Amino acid sequence: DAAARAGDDGAAKEGCVHGSIRGPGCAIVRSSHNFARETAVAAQPDLLTVAKLAPFLMEPLQRAFTVHERLHEGDAGAFARIAPQIRAICGSGESKVSAELMPRLPALEIVSIMGVGYDGVDVAAAKARGVMVAHTPDVLNDDVADLALALMLNIARRIAQADQYVRQGKWPSGPMPLARKMSGARLGIVGMGRIGQAIADRAKAFGMSIAYTARSAKAGLPYAFHARVADLAAASDFLVCITPGGAATRKLIDAEVLRALGPAGYLVNVARGSVVDEAALIEALHKGTIAGAGLDVFENEPHVPEALRALDNVVLVPHIGSATVQTRHAMAARAFANLEAHFAGRPLPSAVPECR
C-alpha cells in the first residue's frame, strides 16, 4: 500500500551504538552557531568531504581536521593512499555515501550530513560497521515550511506568471485571467513530522482545513488522518509532500494519486524529487489532470526536463528549501557540532533516528 510508505520528515527508529573515540592529543577549535566557542576535540583527524561545502563550514573543518576535499572523485591512487586514515565524512543532504565506499575507509567512525535528508547515506551499512550517522534537523523547519506556503500561494495566485505578464507588456491589453483563492481551501500534507507540522501551523493562519497521511496517525494532532495517499489527495485542494526520500517513498505520488487530486488540485513538493513520479506529473500537468504544481525538488537534479520547463501551470525553484543565510549557517554549525561531539567523546546533538 502506497500510503504505508508515507512517513514523517524524520526516519525509522532502530537502535545503534555510539562508539566515539577520543584521538591522541587535542586541538582548540571554534564552534557553535558562529564557531566562536572554544572546545577540545581530537587533534586533526582525517576527514573526507563528499560534496562542495560552503566556506562557512569548510573553514571550521579545516581548523579542526585534515580535510581531503572530494578526493574519492579524483585521483584513485591518491585516494587509496589516504583512505585508511579517513575517520570522518562530511557532506550535504544530496551526498552519496554508499555501502561500496565504506569498506574502503576502514577507520571511518562518523558521517555528518549538513541537511535533514540523508537518503543518500546507506545507514544500514554504516551501522553494520559501527559508523555513526548524523544530520541537521529542526534548524531548517521554518525555511522549508515557509517555502511550501510560498509555492502554494504562487501557483494559486499565479504570481510568477503575473510578474511576466507585466514585464512582457501584456497588461495594457487587458487583465490576467482570474486565479484561485487559497484561504479556506483544503490542505493535505504527505508526511506529518516536524516540517509537516510547521506547514500545518502556517496554513491555519489562512483558515485552511488540514488533513495528512503518514506511517500512522499522530496522537494529539487535531487534523484528519488518511491511511492512503490517494484518499488524502481526493480530499485536498493542495497536496504538499514533505516525506523522506528513499526506496520506501519512491514514486509515492503516482498517476493514481494525481487523478485523485483532480483538475482543480495543486501539488507542491518540498521533499525529494524521488517521491513524485515525474513522468506521470508532466503528463498530468499537460493534460489538465491537475491544475498546477510548485516544485522545489526534481528527480534528476539539477537537470529539469524541458517538458516540465515548458509548462505554464508549474512554478519551478532550484531546491532552495533551506537556502537562507541564517539557516545554512545554523545547519553548518550543527554539522560541525556533530563531528566535534563525536571526537570529544560526547553524545551527538543530532544523530539520525536509526543511530540513537
Side-chain angles (χ1 to χ4, degrees):
D1 187 301
R5 298 180 288 152
D8 312 334
D9 41 281
K13 294 178 176 59
E14 300 177 40
C16 184
V17 176
H18 180 189
S20 295
I21 301 172
R22 182 188 293 271
C26 287
I28 298 300
V29 300
R30 302 189 181 280
S31 66
S32 85
H33 222 112
N34 60 359
F35 305 118
R37 180 172 55 84
E38 293 187 346
T39 187
V41 300
Q44 299 298 106
D46 287 86
L47 177 145
L48 175 69
T49 64
V50 290
K52 185 176 181 180
L53 300 176
F56 46 82
L57 177 54
M58 284 299 294
E59 289 168 8
L61 289 177
Q62 288 167 340
R63 290 196 296 267
F65 298 90
T66 299
V67 177
H68 306 279
E69 294 189 52
R70 294 176 287 172
L71 187 61
H72 64 304
E73 297 176 359
D75 187 332
F79 178 61
R81 288 191 295 273
I82 294 297
Q85 302 169 213
I86 299 294
R87 297 175 64 191
I89 285 176
C90 191
S92 70
E94 291 74 49
S95 294
K96 306 297 181 187
V97 183
S98 67
E100 292 72 31
L101 175 62
M102 290 183 208
R104 301 170 68 187
L105 308 171
L108 184 64
E109 300 172 23
I110 182 171
V111 176
S112 180
I113 295 298
M114 181 181 156
V116 66
Y118 53 94
D119 44 294
V121 179
D122 192 324
V123 178
K127 288 177 61 181
R129 301 182 68 84
V131 174
M132 289 296 293
V133 180
H135 64 153
T136 62
D138 300 322
V139 294
L140 47 66
N141 295 357
D142 285 341
D143 274 356
V144 178
D146 289 351
L147 183 66
L149 270 291
L151 288 171
M152 290 165 59
L153 278 168
N154 207 316
I155 57 176
R157 299 300 303 270
R158 295 181 59 80
I159 294 171
Q161 293 85 349
D163 176 85
Q164 290 302 307
Y165 197 82
V166 174
R167 292 176 188 276
Q168 294 170 8
K170 295 180 179 179
W171 193 7
S173 300
M176 281 184 64
L178 299 179
R180 198 244 190 261
K181 181 180 180 180
M182 192 178 90
S183 293
R186 301 171 300 166
L187 171 62
I189 301 175
V190 182
M192 189 55 88
R194 302 178 191 91
I195 302 174
Q197 291 178 48
I199 292 169
D201 289 343
R202 286 155 173 74
K204 286 189 291 187
F206 287 86
M208 303 185 83
S209 63
I210 299 162
Y212 72 100
T213 190
R215 294 184 188 89
S216 59
K218 304 289 183 181
L221 289 184
Y223 314 125
F225 172 74
H226 292 266
R228 297 184 66 249
V229 180
D231 292 342
L232 176 66
S236 301
D237 300 309
F238 294 84
L239 187 68
V240 176
C241 297
I242 185 57
T243 189
T249 57
R250 190 169 303 280
K251 297 189 178 182
L252 180 64
I253 308 302
D254 57 12
E256 178 193 3
V257 173
L258 295 170
R259 285 194 298 271
L261 184 57
Y266 296 87
L267 176 72
V268 169
N269 190 6
V270 288
R272 290 293 198 201
S274 61
V275 172
V276 174
D277 184 335
E278 197 164 82
L281 175 60
I282 291 170
E283 182 176 4
L285 288 165
H286 181 73
K287 292 184 175 180
T289 304
I290 65 173
L295 307 175
D296 181 45
V297 289
F298 305 89
E299 194 169 25
N300 188 29
E301 297 176 9
H303 306 290
V304 178
E306 169 60 28
L308 197 53
R309 289 185 282 124
L311 291 166
D312 182 61
N313 56 345
V314 61
V315 174
L316 312 171
V317 296
H319 202 155
I320 59 170
S322 64
T324 66
V325 171
Q326 295 82 358
T327 292
R328 288 289 171 87
H329 277 262
M331 291 166 66
R334 178 69 65 83
F336 182 80
N338 282 320
L339 290 163
E340 177 186 62
H342 173 80
F343 286 104
R346 301 192 305 270
L348 304 189
S350 51
V352 302
E354 297 93 323
C355 290
R356 292 176 191 162

